[in-house]
Amino acid sequence: MTGTGDEPFITAVKPLVDAMGGEMLPPDQAGEDDVVLTWEGADVVAVRLPQLADSLDHILAALERKQGKPLAELDRKAKQEVVRILEARGAFSVRHGVETVASALGVSRFTVYNYLNREKEA
């Protein structure tokens, strides 16, 4: 996957690929939906983007790591903040997004909708 001068480029893009839940692979293994990144005129790495539902799971896991505990253990104000972050990242445009978030937060769908409506009214 790497030539002699490619390692800094791969090192630079890896945190971004990891943050979005993507997968890095050799450019010659890229599928038609993968994104091939070029550096100094040569194909260096292909990035396989996650499915939207997988992205939501990845985002939830990252938020949990950032909070340092399961999202269901957060207080109401912190859960509202998580919903705000997720809305900004498009989590509720994913099929079953509200249900997935509600389950992760340990609340009902109705509660998630209340948090969303509260944000719109503020």
Side-chain angles (χ1 to χ4, degrees):
M1 179 162 48
T2 62
T4 54
D6 302 336
E7 289 82 6
F9 179 79
I10 291 173
T11 300
V13 299
K14 186 172 182 351
L16 175 62
V17 174
D18 290 346
M20 65 185 191
E23 176 188 352
M24 295 172 55
L25 48 136
D28 61 346
Q29 294 181 14
E32 66 180 50
D33 293 330
D34 297 333
V35 178
V36 177
L37 302 178
T38 302
W39 180 250
E40 297 181 346
D43 292 345
V44 176
V45 65
V47 177
R48 182 156 297 151
L49 301 173
Q51 299 298 313
L52 285 176
D54 294 338
S55 291
L56 179 53
D57 290 339
H58 191 79
I59 291 167
L60 288 166
L63 285 169
E64 197 164 87
R65 282 191 305 276
K66 184 176 180 183
Q67 296 291 333
K69 59 182 169 182
L71 297 177
E73 294 179 9
L74 299 175
D75 64 27
R76 183 171 54 91
K77 185 174 174 75
K79 288 179 182 182
Q80 289 171 337
E81 177 66 13
V82 165
V83 168
R84 187 194 65 73
I85 291 166
L86 291 169
E87 182 178 31
R89 296 194 61 187
F92 302 109
S93 63
V94 176
R95 183 179 166 113
H96 302 298
V98 170
E99 292 87 346
T100 301
V101 170
S103 176
L105 293 175
V107 299
S108 69
R109 290 179 18 237
F110 181 75
T111 298
V112 172
Y113 284 118
N114 280 341
Y115 291 169
L116 289 167
N117 288 334
R118 174 183 295 255
E119 184 65 29
K120 286 180 175 63
E121 293 168 4

